[in-house]
Amino acid sequence: MASLLQRLVDKIDPQEGRYRMLFERSPLPMWVVDTKTLGFLAVNDAALRLYEYSREEFLAMTALDIRRPEDEAAFRQFLSSEGGEVHYGAFRHMKKTGERIDIDGVGHLVAWRGRPARLVQINDITERLRTQQTLERLNRELELSHERLRALSRRLFEVQEEERRRLARDLHDDVGQALTALKIQLESLARTGTARVDECVDTVQHTLERVRQLSLSLRPPQLDDLGLAAALRSHLDRQARVAGLQAHFETEDAPQDLPPDTETACFRVAQEAINNVLRHARARNLWVRLFSAGGRLAISVRDDGRGFDIDSVRERSLSGASLGLIGMEERMALAGGSFELRSAPGQGTVLLATFPLTVAAKRAVG
């Protein structure tokens, strides 16, 4: 290659020939510059079209006339280097009109009439860099949008939990107490033999139980008072009793002193998984396991039901037909956790979710 380039330079001037034709007709802009004076010695048509100078104008200039001022030192070092072949990254040049362009290319050390010179082949990468910069800007904007969406989702869940807590408290403290008082009054009337009072007592009793169930579903008091394990055990036993399932609950080195947000996220993921089992699985047994794994809080929900095709369920979730899976994944993402779901028709379902632990919780486990 070096020999070919030297022959190319030797034939550029003054003789016509195939090497001169190769130089002139190259689709890549090329020029030869004196390594001492940095003056142009030869230039091809592609370079003239790129920089928009005439040949006479171009050969009357030095290489420093086409570069931007801030690149002078690096460009001078490249052109005057004694290396045989030097590749350079992006340089910023200017056309005759003052338009700025970005170029890269390769410089080859050659001899021009006995003097050291450099033959330079360049590429105009202006559009490529603009496209790259546009993509980088769009990626930054997209990431910023994602961050805003995550923040909005996080706040949405926080507000939802606050509203659940308030509703649960109001149901228990206001409606529940009012119904309890009414039940006592009706029971007192029943002892006097008032007709149909027994039916009223039964209605109030049923309403009380329903209010209690709603309160527990909205926000179980055990989650705030006794912690995650107690809340999970209570919820599992209650749901399994209603559905006629055999419930199995295990806690193995379950961490203590968990952040409230982590406890809430873990409970809600397990709650959604248990509800899905009750609604769809037709299972006989349900296992819930709370434990520590690899320095993280982990929860597993497993059943021996009919299972399902995960891909089809995910497609339904993305289409908006079912939001349970998306809700669980969103909670996991906001909590910094990982989420794994395994199932197949006729083989039951296993959900495994893990959450990061704080330093205090890790010490409690240890």
Short mmCIF file of all heavy atoms in Angstrom, two decimals, residues 14 45 50 53 64 75 94 103 119 136 144 163 169 228 248 258 263 269 277 296 302 340 346:
data_model
loop_
_atom_site.label_atom_id
_atom_site.label_comp_id
_atom_site.label_asym_id
_atom_site.label_seq_id
_atom_site.Cartn_x
_atom_site.Cartn_y
_atom_site.Cartn_z
N PRO A 14 4.32 15.80 -12.99
CA PRO A 14 3.50 16.46 -14.00
C PRO A 14 2.86 15.49 -14.97
O PRO A 14 2.14 15.91 -15.88
CB PRO A 14 4.53 17.32 -14.73
CG PRO A 14 5.78 16.48 -14.70
CD PRO A 14 5.76 15.74 -13.40
N ASP A 45 -10.61 16.34 -7.38
CA ASP A 45 -11.89 17.00 -7.62
C ASP A 45 -12.87 16.81 -6.47
O ASP A 45 -13.66 17.71 -6.17
CB ASP A 45 -12.51 16.46 -8.92
CG ASP A 45 -11.73 16.90 -10.15
OD1 ASP A 45 -10.97 17.89 -10.03
OD2 ASP A 45 -11.89 16.25 -11.20
N LEU A 50 -16.06 19.25 -2.08
CA LEU A 50 -16.41 19.28 -0.65
C LEU A 50 -16.17 20.67 -0.06
O LEU A 50 -17.03 21.22 0.63
CB LEU A 50 -15.59 18.24 0.11
CG LEU A 50 -15.75 18.24 1.64
CD1 LEU A 50 -17.19 17.93 2.04
CD2 LEU A 50 -14.79 17.25 2.29
N TYR A 53 -13.80 25.26 -3.10
CA TYR A 53 -12.77 26.16 -3.63
C TYR A 53 -12.45 25.75 -5.06
O TYR A 53 -12.63 24.59 -5.46
CB TYR A 53 -11.49 26.08 -2.80
CG TYR A 53 -11.56 26.73 -1.44
CD1 TYR A 53 -11.74 25.96 -0.29
CD2 TYR A 53 -11.42 28.11 -1.30
CE1 TYR A 53 -11.80 26.55 0.96
CE2 TYR A 53 -11.47 28.71 -0.05
CZ TYR A 53 -11.67 27.93 1.08
OH TYR A 53 -11.71 28.52 2.31
N LEU A 64 -3.96 24.74 7.30
CA LEU A 64 -4.53 25.41 8.46
C LEU A 64 -5.65 26.38 8.07
O LEU A 64 -6.43 26.79 8.94
CB LEU A 64 -3.43 26.17 9.21
CG LEU A 64 -2.31 25.30 9.79
CD1 LEU A 64 -1.31 26.17 10.54
CD2 LEU A 64 -2.87 24.22 10.70
N PHE A 75 -4.39 19.45 14.60
CA PHE A 75 -4.30 19.25 13.15
C PHE A 75 -2.86 19.42 12.67
O PHE A 75 -2.37 18.66 11.84
CB PHE A 75 -5.23 20.24 12.45
CG PHE A 75 -5.53 19.88 11.02
CD1 PHE A 75 -5.85 18.58 10.67
CD2 PHE A 75 -5.51 20.85 10.03
CE1 PHE A 75 -6.13 18.24 9.35
CE2 PHE A 75 -5.80 20.53 8.72
CZ PHE A 75 -6.11 19.22 8.38
N MET A 94 -13.76 23.89 7.65
CA MET A 94 -14.68 24.90 7.14
C MET A 94 -14.61 24.93 5.62
O MET A 94 -13.52 24.82 5.03
CB MET A 94 -14.32 26.29 7.70
CG MET A 94 -14.58 26.45 9.18
SD MET A 94 -14.25 28.14 9.75
CE MET A 94 -12.49 28.25 9.45
N ILE A 103 -14.93 15.94 9.68
CA ILE A 103 -14.28 14.97 8.80
C ILE A 103 -13.40 14.03 9.64
O ILE A 103 -13.00 14.35 10.76
CB ILE A 103 -13.43 15.67 7.72
CG1 ILE A 103 -12.34 16.56 8.35
CG2 ILE A 103 -14.31 16.50 6.81
CD1 ILE A 103 -10.99 15.96 8.35
N LEU A 119 -0.07 12.49 2.13
CA LEU A 119 -1.28 12.29 1.33
C LEU A 119 -2.43 11.97 2.27
O LEU A 119 -2.37 11.02 3.06
CB LEU A 119 -1.07 11.12 0.35
CG LEU A 119 -2.31 10.65 -0.41
CD1 LEU A 119 -2.83 11.74 -1.33
CD2 LEU A 119 -2.00 9.39 -1.20
N GLU A 136 -28.49 10.69 20.43
CA GLU A 136 -28.08 10.82 21.83
C GLU A 136 -29.02 11.76 22.57
O GLU A 136 -29.40 11.50 23.72
CB GLU A 136 -26.64 11.32 21.91
CG GLU A 136 -25.61 10.29 21.43
CD GLU A 136 -24.21 10.88 21.40
OE1 GLU A 136 -24.07 12.10 21.60
OE2 GLU A 136 -23.26 10.10 21.16
N LEU A 144 -35.10 10.71 30.33
CA LEU A 144 -35.69 11.69 31.24
C LEU A 144 -37.20 11.46 31.34
O LEU A 144 -37.77 11.54 32.44
CB LEU A 144 -35.40 13.11 30.74
CG LEU A 144 -35.95 14.26 31.59
CD1 LEU A 144 -35.38 14.19 33.00
CD2 LEU A 144 -35.63 15.60 30.94
N GLU A 163 -54.42 6.57 50.39
CA GLU A 163 -55.88 6.55 50.30
C GLU A 163 -56.43 5.23 50.84
O GLU A 163 -57.46 5.20 51.52
CB GLU A 163 -56.31 6.75 48.85
CG GLU A 163 -57.81 6.91 48.66
CD GLU A 163 -58.36 8.18 49.31
OE1 GLU A 163 -57.54 9.05 49.71
OE2 GLU A 163 -59.58 8.31 49.43
N ARG A 169 -59.05 2.89 57.62
CA ARG A 169 -59.26 3.45 58.96
C ARG A 169 -60.68 3.98 59.12
O ARG A 169 -61.33 3.76 60.15
CB ARG A 169 -58.24 4.56 59.20
CG ARG A 169 -58.29 5.14 60.61
CD ARG A 169 -57.17 6.13 60.85
NE ARG A 169 -57.21 7.23 59.90
CZ ARG A 169 -56.34 7.41 58.93
NH1 ARG A 169 -55.34 6.56 58.78
NH2 ARG A 169 -56.45 8.44 58.10
N LEU A 228 -44.49 -7.36 57.94
CA LEU A 228 -44.82 -8.02 56.69
C LEU A 228 -45.24 -9.47 56.87
O LEU A 228 -46.24 -9.92 56.30
CB LEU A 228 -43.62 -7.93 55.73
CG LEU A 228 -43.77 -8.64 54.38
CD1 LEU A 228 -44.93 -8.05 53.58
CD2 LEU A 228 -42.46 -8.52 53.59
N HIS A 248 -50.12 -22.93 52.82
CA HIS A 248 -48.83 -23.26 53.44
C HIS A 248 -47.98 -21.99 53.46
O HIS A 248 -47.73 -21.39 52.42
CB HIS A 248 -48.10 -24.35 52.63
CG HIS A 248 -48.96 -25.54 52.31
ND1 HIS A 248 -49.06 -26.64 53.13
CD2 HIS A 248 -49.78 -25.78 51.25
CE1 HIS A 248 -49.89 -27.53 52.58
NE2 HIS A 248 -50.34 -27.03 51.44
N LEU A 258 -37.67 -3.74 57.96
CA LEU A 258 -37.78 -3.41 56.55
C LEU A 258 -38.35 -2.00 56.35
O LEU A 258 -39.20 -1.57 57.13
CB LEU A 258 -38.68 -4.42 55.83
CG LEU A 258 -38.16 -5.85 55.73
CD1 LEU A 258 -39.26 -6.76 55.21
CD2 LEU A 258 -36.95 -5.91 54.82
N GLU A 263 -41.94 -3.16 52.41
CA GLU A 263 -42.99 -4.03 52.96
C GLU A 263 -44.27 -3.91 52.14
O GLU A 263 -44.90 -4.92 51.82
CB GLU A 263 -43.26 -3.66 54.42
CG GLU A 263 -42.19 -4.13 55.38
CD GLU A 263 -42.63 -3.97 56.82
OE1 GLU A 263 -43.31 -2.96 57.13
OE2 GLU A 263 -42.31 -4.85 57.64
N VAL A 269 -47.49 -7.24 45.85
CA VAL A 269 -47.16 -8.24 44.82
C VAL A 269 -47.70 -9.60 45.22
O VAL A 269 -48.31 -10.32 44.41
CB VAL A 269 -45.64 -8.28 44.59
CG1 VAL A 269 -45.26 -9.50 43.74
CG2 VAL A 269 -45.16 -7.01 43.90
N VAL A 277 -54.35 -16.59 41.86
CA VAL A 277 -54.52 -18.02 42.10
C VAL A 277 -55.98 -18.33 42.40
O VAL A 277 -56.56 -19.28 41.86
CB VAL A 277 -53.61 -18.49 43.26
CG1 VAL A 277 -53.92 -19.94 43.63
CG2 VAL A 277 -52.14 -18.35 42.87
N ARG A 296 -30.92 -10.25 49.75
CA ARG A 296 -32.14 -9.58 49.31
C ARG A 296 -33.35 -10.24 49.96
O ARG A 296 -33.31 -11.41 50.32
CB ARG A 296 -32.28 -9.66 47.77
CG ARG A 296 -31.19 -8.92 47.03
CD ARG A 296 -31.23 -9.24 45.54
NE ARG A 296 -32.40 -8.70 44.89
CZ ARG A 296 -32.50 -7.48 44.38
NH1 ARG A 296 -31.48 -6.64 44.48
NH2 ARG A 296 -33.60 -7.07 43.78
N ARG A 302 -46.51 -20.03 45.11
CA ARG A 302 -46.59 -21.19 44.22
C ARG A 302 -47.92 -21.91 44.42
O ARG A 302 -48.45 -21.98 45.54
CB ARG A 302 -45.44 -22.15 44.55
CG ARG A 302 -45.42 -23.44 43.74
CD ARG A 302 -44.10 -24.18 43.95
NE ARG A 302 -43.90 -24.56 45.34
CZ ARG A 302 -44.27 -25.74 45.85
NH1 ARG A 302 -44.90 -26.63 45.08
NH2 ARG A 302 -44.04 -26.01 47.12
N GLU A 340 -39.78 -12.72 38.54
CA GLU A 340 -39.72 -13.90 37.68
C GLU A 340 -41.02 -14.69 37.81
O GLU A 340 -41.52 -14.89 38.92
CB GLU A 340 -38.53 -14.79 38.07
CG GLU A 340 -38.39 -16.03 37.19
CD GLU A 340 -37.22 -16.90 37.61
OE1 GLU A 340 -36.51 -16.52 38.55
OE2 GLU A 340 -37.05 -17.98 37.01
N GLY A 346 -51.26 -26.81 32.88
CA GLY A 346 -51.27 -28.06 33.60
C GLY A 346 -50.14 -28.26 34.58
O GLY A 346 -50.04 -29.31 35.23
#
